[in-house]
Amino acid sequence: MSPSNALKQKLVSQQDRIANSKTNAIIRTRFDKVSSEIFDSSNTLSGKTILVKDNIAIKGELLTCASNLLESYKSPYSATVIDRLESQGALITGQTNMDEFAMGSSSEYSIYGSVKNPHDLTKVAGGSSGGSAAAVAEDLCDIALGSDTGGSIRQPAAFCGIYGLKPTYGRISRYGLVAHASSFDTIGILSKNLEDITSAFSVMSGNDPKDATSSTEAVLSLNRYNKDKLPKNVGVLSNDLLSDIDSEIADRYHTVLDFLRKKKVNLIEIDLPYFDYCIATYYVLTMAEASSNLSRFDGVRYGRRATSKDLNETYVKSRSEGFSEEVKRRIMTGTYILSSGYYDAYYSKALKVRRVIKNEYNKLFSKVDCLFIPTTSTAAFPLKNNLDNPIKMYLADIFTVPFNLIGTPSLSVPAGTTKDKLPIGFQIAGNSFKEETLFNFAHSLNKGELFK
Ligand code: GLN
């Protein structure tokens, strides 16, 4: 079959699967805007279909962040990542459901309704990029884009049994990503296939003058990845920390550690620095940043405008009607954190703690090539389980937020399932710009047939 016929067939079957999907992962498709005729094998991503989280801008398409406030907002431009992917032959076939403004860990805070886990429709898909993760797991696309501010790619990737990469902060341009917490936000990649992750990563990476925080660090060529190469020294969790983890996940973890020992990898037991402080530090800082970032959604500049008698009422009513409860909670808490009386006690203190955590991780990364730890402490939880308990929802990210606090890359790899057939995921976390170590480690694990 010619490549363009094969592609045509793939597009038809993915479209069919989307129409029959029960997970509520996809909120919009645009198959009418892509063509199977343009297949050109010299392009890195020719014919790869990509679904995009609804907080990443695609020119002329709705960009709602699953919020009432932006319900009818269309983006006048595309994110840099979209332009780069399209220039290498990728086909943007639709947009995925998410937690409103990427705030959440279950993809239940959405005006489009909850995303369901394709492995068990009574469970969450994880969040906030739950739509992207579920879509990949159900073969609705080859690759999905998500954003990861505190775990929003890796946690749903683990819950749905796929790969999910959060790159080094600054490695991939954030231009065109709706900001949640700007010093934490990253755009990342989800796929079932590690080669697709590395290809998309190599296309999306690199300096972008439109994003002032984008790095000028050189981008490695694609042939550096997907090698059978295990790191020498790997930091692993002590039994102490493992005791808080679901026993099936802990058992699986030990199986992988045994495999690594056999392969002569030096496993070094570590404590995750200031583990108990990470969630609190993360939420103080991200809520402060979110309260500032979301002030632009005022009913005047963007999105929904409430009918009202004066300007002040326009602001108040538009925001009150536009945002839902979790987003309001964060805006109010963030505003409080930044208020003059509490700024030093909370915001400035949390910034200092972030620096101390970063220093400790720097020391750790001088001793190990990377860390290998669980992505989550449980498998996917039931729908509605955490909805009335924000703290429980926040704790879902306990193993993922440290790497957003310190800006380093982390890849969640699928690692088999529990006896109830729910996926388990482990994270490979390395030092800044060391994605190569993560990819080659993941490749070697896969070759070990451990996770079949
Ligand atoms: N669950 C975390 C939060 O709600 C992570 C969000 C994210 O990574 N976008 O803040």
Side-chain angles (χ1 to χ4, degrees), residues 170-412:
R171 175 76 299 179
I172 291 177
S173 168
R174 289 184 295 118
Y175 179 73
L177 168 71
V178 178
H180 165 182
S182 313
S183 75
F184 294 76
D185 293 341
T186 55
I187 292 181
I189 309 158
L190 302 98
S191 182
K192 271 190 179 172
N193 182 330
L194 192 57
E195 277 82 26
D196 283 346
I197 298 248
T198 52
S199 301
F201 174 76
S202 73
V203 168
M204 289 159 69
S205 298
N207 184 250
D208 175 16
K210 292 179 184 147
D211 171 3
T213 60
S214 123
S215 167
T216 52
E217 182 93 12
V219 177
L220 297 183
S221 73
L222 193 48
N223 64 20
R224 295 281 291 268
Y225 309 140
N226 308 312
K227 300 256 186 277
D228 197 6
K229 193 171 160 206
L230 283 165
K232 281 202 182 76
N233 299 309
V234 174
V236 297
L237 282 195
S238 61
N239 280 331
D240 197 26
L241 271 177
L242 271 181
S243 60
D244 290 336
I245 288 172
D246 185 277
S247 64
E248 285 191 80
I249 297 184
D251 288 348
R252 196 26 97 132
Y253 187 64
H254 284 300
T255 310
V256 186
L257 297 194
D258 287 343
F259 166 82
L260 294 174
R261 266 187 216 103
K262 274 194 208 119
K263 294 277 177 190
K264 306 268 180 287
V265 176
N266 187 19
L267 303 183
I268 302 168
E269 274 200 10
I270 49 125
D271 277 328
L272 292 172
Y274 296 102
F275 188 62
D276 295 344
Y277 293 88
C278 286
I279 288 278
T281 311
Y282 169 84
Y283 277 98
V284 168
L285 293 174
T286 56
M287 287 181 181
E289 291 189 26
S291 76
S292 160
N293 275 326
L294 270 59
S295 65
R296 73 191 64 168
F297 303 113
D298 54 9
V300 175
R301 285 171 289 180
Y302 297 90
R304 177 194 185 91
R305 181 177 308 169
T307 41
S308 51
K309 60 178 182 332
D310 59 33
L311 184 62
N312 199 44
E313 197 180 288
T314 303
Y315 289 149
V316 173
K317 270 178 87 178
S318 302
R319 286 167 69 79
S320 304
E321 290 167 9
F323 294 130
S324 56
E325 188 180 307
E326 177 60 24
V327 178
K328 285 181 191 161
R329 175 166 27 246
R330 296 193 191 207
I331 292 173
M332 285 190 276
T333 315
T335 307
Y336 178 83
I337 288 165
L338 289 174
S339 61
S340 63
Y342 294 96
Y343 185 95
D344 284 342
Y346 295 113
Y347 185 68
S348 144
K349 182 71 137 291
L351 280 180
K352 289 176 190 153
V353 178
R354 185 183 197 180
R355 167 46 65 185
V356 171
I357 294 171
K358 172 90 183 141
N359 290 347
E360 284 307 305
Y361 269 98
N362 282 346
K363 284 188 210 152
L364 192 56
F365 283 125
S366 68
K367 290 189 218 125
V368 298
D369 300 304
C370 64
L371 309 177
F372 182 76
I373 63 172
T375 307
T376 57
S377 52
T378 66
F381 46 85
L383 287 155
K384 299 204 170 85
N385 201 53
N386 295 357
L387 272 187
D388 52 1
N389 189 340
I391 300 287
K392 222 166 150 196
M393 194 72 101
Y394 298 166
L395 286 170
D397 293 318
I398 192 143
F399 286 114
T400 50
V401 294
F403 309 111
N404 299 83
L405 277 165
I406 64 171
T408 53
S410 171
L411 173 69
S412 182

Side-chain angles (χ1 to χ4, degrees), residues 155-174:
Q155 184 252 26
F159 281 4
C160 292
I162 60 168
Y163 291 97
L165 172 75
K166 169 226 172 303
T168 308
Y169 181 81
R171 175 76 299 179
I172 291 177
S173 168
R174 289 184 295 118

Side-chain angles (χ1 to χ4, degrees), residues 53 55 99 101-106 127-129 147-154 180 185 282-283 286 326 330 393-394 396-397 401 404:
K53 186 176 181 179
N55 61 349
D99 282 302
F101 285 104
M103 297 174 184
S105 305
S106 66
S128 61
S129 315
S147 63
D148 192 313
T149 304
S152 279
I153 286 177
R154 291 159 288 157
H180 165 182
D185 293 341
Y282 169 84
Y283 277 98
T286 56
E326 177 60 24
R330 296 193 191 207
M393 194 72 101
Y394 298 166
D397 293 318
V401 294
N404 299 83

